[in-house]
Amino acid sequence: MEKNIELNNNQDLQILFGKYDNNLKLIEQELGIQITRTEEGLRVIGDDSKVERVKGLLDYLSDFIKHGQDVKRHDIIYALRLSESDKGVDLKRLSKRRIPVSSKKGSVVTPKTKGQVEYVETIKYHDIVFGVGPAGTGKTYLAMAMAVNALKKGLVRRIILTRPAIEAGESLGFLPGDMVEKVSPYLRPLYDALYDMLETERVDQYAEKGIIEVAPLAYMRGRTLNDAFVILDEAQNCTSDQMKMFLTRLGFDSKAVITGDTTQSDLPSSEESGLVSAEKVLKDVDGIKFVHLTGEDVVRHELVQRIIEAYERSNSK
């Protein structure tokens, strides 16, 4: 099949096509088709179904440019994976699932795998969601994006981010400084995600006003969290009692997302993770949803996905 695709020459085609047309070459390579530039746009030659996918892909990538984002290699690869017939994900619908987080250039977060799409949709429609899966699957990052978006839309009045203060397999000893300085190393990943989505000044202003609060899990005891989007990160390091304490903090008009990886608990081997016990106890409770992400949902360096798969194979033996 041969198809001519007309493109709007007013858009930045260099960003769309990539330096030296590298994006077009990648699409050719991944789909096994031939793409040629024309005065009106592109001529695509190849298998019928694959040629049709190119038009949808280019429309999807053009939307990146409209939102001030660059088109990167991994954006193309993940989009092509999602557009495969067995994935059942329409790229047009995926474009509508972008999560605007601020006026900062390029501050739009897009789920990049089928599991991530399900995760975002579940957060949107449920008040308590557990995101369980390996590192790099976007559990915390997407939850953070949904929280910032909810704050931007006025759906909540504050964002509360928390995680257990427990070392990852090694003792750091007594840390210097006041309470904030002592717990800061444990909460650094949460700050990293915030600064990625919001201007530094905005984060600092929100923190001063209490609109954004980052605190260790121990400081949640005794509180009632109303009108808040609450994220509990690294939940595999919670005890069962801590998990129950956290879940019962939720107040009116609030939403909670609990994220963790059950294979990376730093609790003593004799103590069951609160994340594991929560699924046993709460799996049939109406209104609570568990979303399990896998190695297929990893969106870090492609080697991370291979590492996770290798460990999964080893553990299954």
Side-chain angles (χ1 to χ4, degrees), residues 78 81 87 112-116 134 137 293-299 305 308-309 312:
Y78 286 121
R81 285 184 191 172
K87 293 293 190 298
K112 290 181 169 60
T113 69
K114 187 176 181 180
Q116 289 189 352
T137 50
L293 300 166
T294 68
E296 290 187 358
D297 300 304
V298 172
V299 292
Q305 184 169 353
I308 290 169
E309 290 170 351
E312 288 175 347

Side-chain angles (χ1 to χ4, degrees), residues 73-267:
R73 175 185 174 87
H74 64 259
D75 293 320
I76 296 171
I77 292 175
Y78 286 121
L80 286 172
R81 285 184 191 172
L82 281 173
S83 65
E84 292 172 359
S85 57
D86 62 330
K87 293 293 190 298
V89 178
D90 183 356
L91 291 180
K92 288 184 179 179
R93 291 178 60 197
L94 184 61
S95 292
K96 296 176 182 178
R97 288 188 173 99
R98 296 184 191 278
I99 310 168
V101 290
S102 78
S103 56
K104 183 179 176 182
K105 181 183 178 183
S107 288
V108 178
V109 177
T110 306
K112 290 181 169 60
T113 69
K114 187 176 181 180
Q116 289 189 352
V117 171
E118 178 192 353
Y119 182 48
V120 167
E121 289 295 295
T122 304
I123 293 173
K124 189 181 296 184
Y125 296 111
H126 294 84
D127 287 338
I128 297 181
V129 175
F130 287 79
V132 184
T137 50
K139 305 181 299 295
T140 304
Y141 198 83
L142 289 171
M144 188 77 75
M146 293 295 285
V148 173
N149 181 258
L151 182 66
K152 179 181 178 183
K153 289 181 175 179
L155 301 177
V156 296
R157 290 191 295 108
R158 54 184 174 154
I159 297 172
I160 299 174
L161 312 169
T162 184
R163 66 189 308 189
I166 182 171
E167 290 99 347
E170 58 181 312
S171 176
L172 299 178
F174 292 101
L175 296 175
D178 58 20
M179 187 275 289
V180 174
E181 292 170 325
K182 287 179 186 293
V183 301
S184 185
Y186 301 103
L187 306 174
R188 189 73 254 167
L190 299 176
Y191 281 112
D192 289 343
L194 272 176
Y195 287 126
D196 205 21
M197 297 176 193
L198 295 170
E199 299 88 348
T200 302
E201 297 79 9
R202 181 68 59 86
V203 174
D204 294 341
Q205 288 172 3
Y206 283 168
E208 288 176 8
K209 295 178 180 178
I211 296 173
I212 292 179
E213 178 184 347
V214 185
L217 180 60
Y219 287 80
M220 294 296 107
R221 188 173 297 279
R223 301 179 63 181
T224 300
L225 307 175
N226 294 317
D227 295 310
F229 197 118
V230 193
I231 299 174
L232 169 58
D233 192 32
E234 299 288 349
Q236 75 275 3
N237 289 329
C238 295
T239 65
S240 296
D241 287 342
Q242 286 175 323
M243 180 63 76
K244 180 182 177 182
M245 177 274 290
F246 171 79
L247 292 173
T248 53
R249 299 307 93 206
L250 200 66
F252 294 111
D253 300 316
S254 290
K255 187 184 291 284
V257 179
I258 301 93
T259 70
D261 178 0
T262 54
T263 68
Q264 293 196 31
S265 174
D266 296 306
L267 292 171

